[in-house]
Amino acid sequence: MAMKKVARTYSRYGREAVGVLGYLIRIHRLERKLSVAEVAERVGVSRYLIQRIESGDPRCAIGVAFEAASILGVTLFEEDRHKLTARIREQEEKLRLLPKAIHKPRTTATAVKDDF
């Protein structure tokens, strides 16, 4: 039995953020006078995937998009590596202070009626 494919929707903000990253990757690639094929080879993916990333396709793997950005010199979070390392440590510390999981209270399917 075939499963029904459900269309994934993305928020406007999410689509715009992916679009900006795609533009930055394309701009940096063109400034460095690199072809799509050259970037794809360096990242280890197909030309088609790099083209999709540059066009802002939100279905592309984030790791591949970040690797392309990194190879081309696109600043993602911090320009200075030491600042990025400090930011990672800061986020790790915040996570240590938060609960590991969120458990919602279970609700009973039917409430017991004991008002005789």
Side-chain angles (χ1 to χ4, degrees), residues 65-104:
F66 276 27
E67 185 62 18
S70 176
I71 285 170
L72 292 168
V74 175
T75 301
L76 297 170
F77 296 101
E78 300 286 348
E79 210 159 312
D80 181 354
R81 288 215 140 181
H82 298 292
K83 286 183 182 178
L84 180 58
T85 301
R87 193 167 190 182
I88 290 168
R89 301 251 187 295
E90 179 183 304
Q91 301 312 312
E92 289 172 341
E93 184 59 32
K94 283 183 184 179
L95 282 171
R96 274 194 283 280
L97 298 173
L98 293 170
K100 293 201 184 307
I102 303 298
H103 299 285
K104 303 272 182 173

Side-chain angles (χ1 to χ4, degrees), residues 52-73:
R52 287 178 45 217
I53 290 169
E54 288 185 355
S55 70
D57 184 345
R59 296 168 296 160
C60 297
I62 191 168
V64 176
F66 276 27
E67 185 62 18
S70 176
I71 285 170
L72 292 168

Side-chain angles (χ1 to χ4, degrees), residues 6-23:
V6 178
R8 173 75 172 102
T9 58
Y10 297 91
S11 69
R12 181 177 177 184
Y13 182 81
R15 289 189 319 267
E16 289 174 348
V18 170
V20 169
L21 179 59
Y23 287 145

